[in-house]
Amino acid sequence: MIAQEQIPTVLDHPVYDQEGRKIGDAKHVFVDDVTGRPEWVTVKTGMFGTNESFVPIKDASLVDDHLEVPYPKDRIKGAPHVDIDGGGHLDASEEQRLYEYYGIAWDEAWQRANQPGDGGWAHGTAGTAGAAGAAGLTDRGRGDLGAEDMGTARTGRSVGDDAMTRSEEQMHVGIERVETGHVRLRKYIVTEDVQQTVPVRHEEVRVEREPITEANREQALSGPEIAEAEHEVILHEERPVVETKAVPVERVRLRTDEVTDEETVSGRIRKERIEVEGDETGIARDRDERDAM
């Protein structure tokens, strides 16, 4: 429940939904022109705050430095788009459409708005007090209060003197950190065919014949004169033996590097202009006002 004196605390502060998720920042608070009670808050949503959604402020509450509203983020972002007229007011059809979207009965809202009470939130009338009767809403409407114009509902009415306040919107570009993808390391096994050449040796039989000489005559005559005999030689060879062994070869990790790019953001802002109307001539105008026109 937000009172009018809490509006400066709400503006330009974060707004969270019923599940504790940030929706955006509060841009404007709309109050009833008759009762002065806050009725709606607009929330800047989107990556760069390019959209502005209306949310009922009746059951909202201030928690620390942010505003909590009893609606889910997706419902708020899908609220009907409303174009605010030059005076910063909601007309009857726009407000009725918003009431219906959030499940608030229009007739009940009108009745509560006209019930007598002490003007506080305890009676639960502030959330619908801005209805002020379907017939008179177009004239009285909702006053739009931004951080720069507390004290006047941007209707051109003075607040105690004969000066008129001229306001304009300023564009503030924020930065939102969002997920753009996932990168992971995954280790898997592949099989490759490899070749390696190694030298191997083997034995072969070579027959040697030598004549009988005085040097070997004694060995040649050591056996029987005529007989059968055998002599066996064992042959050897080398064969390659393959053995695999797992050894560590490198360490791999993921790191993120921040790269700064520049993006141009465009938007629309509204400015109020003050003109002097009358039959008299020779009216001096402010230099800045002449340059703007």
Side-chain angles (χ1 to χ4, degrees):
M1 296 183 291
I2 307 302
Q4 187 169 8
E5 57 270 18
Q6 293 177 299
I7 293 177
T9 307
V10 173
L11 295 173
D12 295 326
H13 281 72
V15 179
Y16 288 76
D17 69 358
Q18 60 185 8
E19 298 178 358
R21 297 177 300 177
K22 182 179 178 181
I23 306 168
D25 294 329
K27 181 62 177 177
H28 297 94
V29 172
F30 282 72
V31 302
D32 184 82
D33 285 350
V34 178
T35 65
R37 298 174 184 172
E39 294 294 332
W40 301 91
V41 61
T42 62
V43 184
K44 299 283 277 187
T45 61
M47 181 173 294
F48 298 103
T50 53
N51 300 320
E52 197 165 345
S53 301
F54 277 77
V55 188
I57 203 172
K58 171 181 177 293
D59 295 320
S61 58
L62 271 176
V63 179
D64 296 331
D65 61 343
H66 65 270
L67 182 69
E68 290 188 0
V69 294
Y71 300 98
K73 181 177 182 179
D74 294 340
R75 185 179 180 89
I76 294 171
K77 295 180 70 173
H81 176 72
V82 176
D83 290 326
I84 306 303
D85 59 27
H89 283 73
L90 291 171
D91 61 29
S93 60
E94 290 169 341
E95 189 170 29
Q96 184 174 3
R97 185 157 56 105
L98 288 169
Y99 271 128
E100 292 175 350
Y101 178 79
Y102 284 102
I104 301 173
W106 174 254
D107 294 337
E108 181 182 353
W110 182 87
Q111 292 174 4
R112 290 184 179 181
N114 291 275
Q115 288 178 354
D118 58 4
W121 288 91
H123 296 285
T125 60
T128 54
L137 184 59
T138 304
D139 295 330
R140 291 187 284 185
R142 288 283 190 275
D144 171 13
L145 295 183
E148 72 280 0
D149 55 1
M150 285 299 300
T152 175
R154 287 215 279 176
T155 58
R157 296 174 297 176
S158 62
V159 287
D161 55 25
D162 57 356
M164 181 178 291
T165 300
R166 188 183 70 85
S167 303
E168 67 182 34
E169 295 178 338
Q170 296 179 347
M171 187 172 73
H172 299 276
V173 180
I175 298 176
E176 182 180 24
R177 190 178 181 89
V178 298
E179 289 187 2
T180 57
H182 295 267
V183 179
R184 63 176 61 88
L185 285 177
R186 183 172 64 89
K187 185 170 68 173
Y188 60 96
I189 298 174
V190 297
T191 301
E192 295 181 355
D193 293 329
V194 295
Q195 292 182 345
Q196 184 176 343
T197 302
V198 295
V200 293
R201 296 175 298 177
H202 69 276
E203 295 177 341
E204 294 181 353
V205 174
R206 179 167 51 87
V207 179
E208 294 182 353
R209 299 176 185 273
E210 58 182 17
I212 303 298
T213 63
E214 292 296 332
N216 62 13
R217 181 179 296 275
E218 183 178 352
Q219 293 178 347
L221 297 176
S222 61
E225 293 182 358
I226 299 295
E228 294 181 354
E230 290 182 358
H231 183 69
E232 182 178 310
V233 176
I234 298 177
L235 301 177
H236 299 82
E237 69 176 8
E238 296 177 339
R239 294 180 179 178
V241 177
V242 177
E243 179 184 3
T244 60
K245 182 179 180 181
V247 295
V249 294
E250 66 176 348
R251 298 277 293 167
V252 181
R253 65 172 55 89
L254 290 177
R255 295 187 183 275
T256 60
D257 297 325
E258 288 193 355
V259 180
T260 302
D261 297 327
E262 292 186 354
E263 292 189 12
T264 301
V265 180
S266 60
R268 286 186 175 184
I269 60 174
R270 297 177 298 171
K271 297 182 179 181
E272 294 177 342
R273 292 286 184 255
I274 299 176
E275 295 183 353
V276 179
E277 297 180 352
D279 297 332
E280 298 183 7
T281 59
I283 300 177
R285 293 183 175 178
D286 180 76
R287 180 183 300 273
D288 294 337
E289 196 65 16
R290 291 201 305 270
D291 294 341
M293 297 175 61

